[in-house]
Amino acid sequence: MAIQGIPGDEGARLALLEELRLLEGGADRLFEGLTALARSVAGCEHAFVSLVGADQQHLVASLGIAGGASSRAQSFCTHVIDARAPLVIEDTLADPRFCDNPAVTGAPHLRFYVGLPLVLDVTVSPLATLCVSDTAPRPGGLSDEAMAQLRLIARLAEERLRTRRSALRAARLQETLTGRDRMLEVIQRLSGAGFMVLDAALVIRECNAAMATLLECEPASLAGESVLTITHAPLRARAEATLQGVLRGGIRARGEWAMLDASGAIRGAEVRVERLVLEGAPCLVCVAGDSTAARRSALLNAAETRTLSALGAQASAAEVAAPVVDLLREHRPGAGVVFSVLREGALEVVAARGVDAHALTTALCAASDTPAREVLLHDAPVLLLGLDDHPRWPQALHPVFEAGFCALWCLPVHDEDRTMRGVLTLALPGGVLPATRELGFLEAMAAAAGTALARLELLQALDQRAHQDSLTGLGNRHMLRDALPQALYRGAREASPTALMLLDLDRFKQINDTHGHAAGDALLVEVARRLRAVVRERDHVVRLGGDEFVLVLQGCDRALCEWVARRIAARFEEAVAVGALSLRSRPSIGIALAEPGDVDAEALLAAADRAMYAAKAAGRGTHRFAGDASAEHPASAGRGGPGG
């Protein structure tokens, strides 16, 4: 079968796909979590990412549908690639392009499909598609909100593709800059390279202006200094051993040398060292090329990769900010680095290294007039010297000065849309201000963190929508599917029982039919509030749907369950005021206990369901335990029994 709709730039598209090496493995890990999120948002049976090759499509990170390779000629996704736009098929049997497709007429019997293109380079056709599908048609397709959420998930998938490309290109670049190529690069730069002569004690006897420029100082200030004092402390022993080896054996050495400039920042230098005899004494001649820009670029790439790798619906702002803080400590070893996020108009420190976070929190965030507040007010960096007697913030900056710092750099943290996300602060022991290039590097590092924080907020919002009941704000059935097994396994690990209480409101349908759905909804919201007030913070309260609620109680035995059930009953004795109405609905409660080691969540829920119907059969507004004789053989047990 001929493939329809081959893009005009198919060669460039396939070359980009090959560069990413996704068909060699690793694609499932790259997109894991995103397809689960897409399936939840769309409410479909299937979700997957399709990598469209020359002759085949490859389904990866697939859920509800078999992965692997299939013919591109029969692929829905090749139409998305060609159109460069989302494709929605409400009923495949009604679409002449797909009605006789083997995936429609046979397994998996697709009747509904949505595909969104994944674009890595806007000048090249999409490499892949993010798809959801179902075995039932959907007239009208998905809602506008669901489509908007799928587009956001597709953007996250594209970001992961870009991160993978950056990492692969960096690795290939590092491979090429070795051996003879690296030596040729040094030779080409030799005319403008830094130069210094060391004596047998590794003291600098002579250096040129280029070397001083690399270290941002005057040549005279280097003369007479040990070369080890301008070497990054963790590398001094290694540098000394290498230099002494050249002195003794006459060998040549070359490599990356992390040097400290006059302000204490690390400067990267590509160095070659040779032994010479001058005036009868052995010495070392060092030729250095400035690789600081490359080193900072590598740090920035590492920050972007690590912050995006830390993302996940359960991640915290601290986990996203920590890589940036750690990498800036590599850049400025003697500095204190603090990352503060903006939450509801207030700054909160989430990551700090090399400094007392409490002291800086007080100095930067607590007072109404601080350097960090100035950053928020004017959306611009605040760079300060003379912290011991600063005219504007003497009290706020005193703790920073007492900690041994003489300079403070505060920079705004923005995301891609220039939305303020927080403040990045560096406290330095030397009284220096950043040069223009370093300031640009610091702003880029802050932007990497800001972009990751925006992605984190998006992921958490999508996860909350997928796991939260929109009416009551409680967890929903999807959340219970995750929380109950986790509670059971935690109970097994901690050797403590886990209780599940299933509540059904008596005569709720009568209230709905008599007073309307608005009154019923208001009653459900109040029920949720009262249930939250009964349980502990670590317990889970879930609305299954309708008038059914579930409580998952950790470390709760039979006696404690009795106490909780009585507290719930007492709470529901009080009527609920809805406008001029006074509504009353008591719950029938089924209770199932899981002993440590019982991890069958479905069996526990079924047992609680039987016990709940036993409570209804006993006269409503009471509770029963699973396993009791009356709970196992109620008059009308199970889902076929009377409701409400």
Side-chain angles (χ1 to χ4, degrees):
M1 182 183 295
I3 299 175
Q4 301 297 318
I6 299 296
D9 61 351
E10 181 69 353
R13 194 187 71 83
L14 293 175
L16 198 53
L17 186 63
E18 182 177 358
E19 180 187 357
L20 291 176
R21 296 161 59 181
L22 289 170
L23 301 182
E24 299 175 18
D28 286 307
R29 292 191 303 274
L30 188 67
F31 300 109
E32 66 181 359
L34 295 184
T35 50
L37 200 56
R39 182 169 70 166
S40 175
V41 164
C44 288
E45 295 179 38
H46 318 132
F48 53 92
V49 169
S50 173
L51 305 173
V52 181
D55 302 307
Q56 292 183 314
Q57 70 166 353
H58 302 261
L59 303 192
V60 298
S62 56
L63 297 174
I65 191 170
S70 60
S71 171
R72 179 177 175 179
Q74 299 170 352
S75 166
F76 289 37
C77 302
T78 193
H79 293 266
V80 181
I81 298 295
D82 183 48
R84 303 192 183 199
L87 173 63
V88 179
I89 307 171
E90 299 174 5
D91 188 346
T92 55
L93 289 180
D95 193 315
R97 296 172 297 175
F98 307 105
C99 60
D100 59 352
N101 190 289
V104 176
T105 58
H109 300 286
L110 300 183
R111 292 292 302 279
F112 173 71
Y113 168 90
V114 176
L116 291 88
L118 300 183
V119 178
L120 179 60
D121 186 334
V122 294
T123 65
V124 180
S125 292
L127 299 185
T129 58
L130 172 69
C131 309
V132 294
S133 59
D134 213 325
T135 55
R138 290 203 184 181
L142 299 178
S143 67
D144 291 343
E145 181 182 7
M147 285 298 296
Q149 292 177 16
L150 286 178
R151 289 189 181 94
L152 290 174
I153 297 170
R155 285 183 59 191
L156 291 174
E158 291 171 349
E159 286 294 336
R160 293 191 179 183
L161 287 172
R162 293 188 181 96
T163 299
R164 181 180 179 90
R165 179 175 64 175
S166 297
L168 289 173
R169 286 183 175 179
R172 284 194 292 270
L173 179 62
Q174 187 63 33
E175 291 172 0
T176 59
L177 293 178
T178 57
R180 188 175 300 276
D181 292 333
R182 190 178 289 273
M183 181 179 291
L184 289 173
E185 183 186 11
V186 172
I187 292 173
Q188 290 171 1
R189 293 201 309 259
L190 196 56
S191 59
F195 173 88
M196 60 182 174
V197 178
L198 312 180
D199 64 17
L202 306 184
V203 172
I204 302 172
R205 294 304 178 192
E206 182 182 346
C207 72
N208 66 353
M211 191 71 204
T213 299
L214 189 154
L215 299 177
E216 298 186 350
C217 63
E218 295 297 325
S221 67
L222 291 174
E225 289 285 335
S226 170
V227 75
L228 299 178
T229 63
I230 62 169
T231 302
H232 184 30
L235 304 177
R236 285 174 186 168
R238 179 181 172 186
E240 182 177 16
T242 299
L243 295 173
Q244 292 291 357
V246 176
L247 272 172
R248 289 192 303 268
I251 60 174
R252 298 175 180 177
R254 68 180 182 190
E256 187 77 16
W257 195 339
M259 297 181 171
L260 300 175
D261 66 18
S263 68
I266 292 183
R267 305 284 296 187
E270 189 66 36
V271 179
R272 292 188 303 159
V273 183
E274 292 189 22
R275 178 180 182 273
L276 291 178
V277 177
L278 296 177
E279 300 177 352
C283 65
L284 296 176
V285 177
C286 305
V287 178
D290 191 351
S291 61
T292 302
R295 187 178 189 280
R296 289 176 179 172
S297 178
L299 288 175
L300 181 57
N301 286 336
E304 292 171 345
T305 300
R306 294 183 195 177
T307 52
L308 290 174
S309 297
L311 290 180
Q314 305 306 316
S316 65
E319 291 171 310
V320 171
V324 171
V325 172
D326 290 336
L327 290 167
L328 286 176
R329 282 275 292 168
E330 288 185 29
H331 167 66
R332 283 271 181 184
V337 184
V338 177
F339 197 102
S340 311
V341 296
L342 186 61
R343 288 177 176 157
E344 298 180 355
L347 285 171
E348 177 185 337
V349 174
V350 296
R353 302 288 188 275
V355 67
D356 182 349
H358 176 73
L360 267 189
T361 301
T362 303
L364 301 176
C365 309
S368 59
D369 185 22
T370 66
R373 290 285 178 183
E374 186 80 359
V375 171
L376 297 179
L377 181 62
H378 297 290
D379 194 9
V382 173
L383 309 173
L384 304 175
L385 294 177
L387 305 185
D388 55 332
D389 188 26
H390 198 276
R392 179 167 178 184
W393 298 291
Q395 293 182 339
L397 296 178
H398 185 69
V400 187
F401 174 72
E402 285 292 303
F405 298 108
C406 300
L408 199 69
W409 306 347
C410 301
L411 294 88
V413 176
H414 298 109
D415 61 21
E416 290 176 313
D417 298 325
R418 296 292 297 173
T419 300
M420 181 74 74
R421 294 286 173 178
V423 175
L424 175 64
T425 302
L426 282 78
L428 296 102
V432 292
L433 294 178
T436 301
R437 289 184 179 179
E438 183 176 13
L439 183 59
F441 163 70
L442 296 175
E443 290 174 335
M445 292 287 280
T451 297
L453 287 173
R455 298 287 188 275
L456 175 64
E457 184 179 283
L458 172 62
L459 277 173
Q460 291 176 337
L462 291 173
D463 184 70
Q464 185 178 29
R465 289 181 184 178
H467 291 82
Q468 188 179 69
D469 177 55
S470 59
L471 174 64
T472 64
L474 299 177
N476 60 16
R477 188 180 298 270
H478 296 295
M479 193 274 266
L480 180 66
R481 195 173 296 150
D482 295 335
L484 182 54
Q486 291 175 10
L488 292 173
Y489 280 108
R490 189 181 305 114
R493 189 168 58 250
E494 298 175 357
S496 65
T498 301
L500 186 144
M501 305 180 75
L502 178 60
L503 294 79
D504 185 273
L505 299 181
D506 296 335
R507 297 183 175 86
F508 177 76
K509 184 176 184 300
Q510 180 181 346
I511 292 173
N512 244 358
D513 293 344
T514 304
H515 301 294
H517 288 286
D521 287 350
L523 175 61
L524 292 173
V525 171
E526 176 60 18
V527 167
R529 188 192 68 79
R530 294 184 183 185
L531 291 177
R532 279 200 204 95
V534 169
V535 301
R536 302 161 297 186
E537 186 175 345
R538 65 175 178 169
D539 298 325
H540 297 287
V541 184
V542 172
R543 181 188 176 206
L544 279 184
D547 59 344
E548 284 190 327
F549 296 83
V550 168
L551 275 61
V552 180
L553 310 176
Q554 196 73 48
C556 190
D557 57 16
R558 184 180 179 111
L560 186 55
C561 285
E562 287 276 8
W563 182 80
V564 172
R566 287 195 297 270
R567 284 196 67 191
I568 292 174
R571 289 271 182 172
F572 280 76
E573 286 300 322
E574 181 184 350
V576 176
V578 179
L581 299 174
S582 180
L583 305 179
R584 191 185 305 274
S585 178
R586 297 186 301 167
S588 295
I589 306 173
I591 307 171
L593 289 170
E595 295 301 322
D598 294 341
V599 293
D600 190 337
E602 292 297 330
L604 189 68
L605 188 59
D609 187 64
R610 291 193 299 272
M612 183 270 291
Y613 275 94
K616 282 188 175 293
R620 306 175 186 266
T622 185
H623 65 273
R624 289 291 183 269
F625 282 87
D628 292 353
S630 61
E632 292 306 308
H633 303 286
S636 300
R639 291 292 170 186

